[in-house]
Amino acid sequence: MRDAKRLAAVRLLPCVKCGMHPVDAAHSNLSKHSKGMGLKASDQFTIPLCRKHHIEYDQLLTMTRSEAEVWFDRMYEKTNRMMQVEDREVF
């Protein structure tokens, strides 16, 4: 499902791995989030990643697929908490 509002909000956040800007709204690569061959996961399952960390995540350069699944779930929770904060300077 596409959600332009979620994508715009995620792009305002810093990278969840290093804190840098600008970021991409990186989609989950997990089938449990409806990712499939030629299909992007729902925009609901996005996290802010700088280009370097987006590439690392998508290409599994620094972790195994099972590690990436655990990591994405943690970063997804962090992203949702960050989106609830009113004062962006907290993170």
Side-chain angles (χ1 to χ4, degrees), residues 24-88:
D24 299 330
H27 288 77
S28 168
N29 290 332
L30 309 175
S31 59
K32 70 181 182 182
H33 296 144
S34 301
K35 165 71 172 140
M37 292 294 283
L39 287 176
K40 235 182 230 280
S42 167
D43 290 344
Q44 175 186 353
F45 300 105
T46 53
I47 61 174
L49 290 174
C50 68
R51 182 53 51 108
K52 174 186 174 199
H53 291 124
H54 192 172
I55 291 168
E56 285 179 4
Y57 170 68
D58 279 349
Q59 296 180 10
L60 298 172
L61 298 178
T62 60
M63 57 188 126
T64 65
R65 184 165 301 282
S66 59
E67 290 170 334
E69 181 171 354
V70 171
W71 181 82
F72 184 90
D73 287 343
R74 284 191 359 248
M75 296 303 106
Y76 179 69
E77 289 176 24
K78 180 179 179 179
T79 298
N80 289 336
R81 286 192 313 269
M82 291 166 68
M83 291 178 72
Q84 298 303 313
V85 174
E86 293 296 323
D87 182 356
R88 297 277 187 234

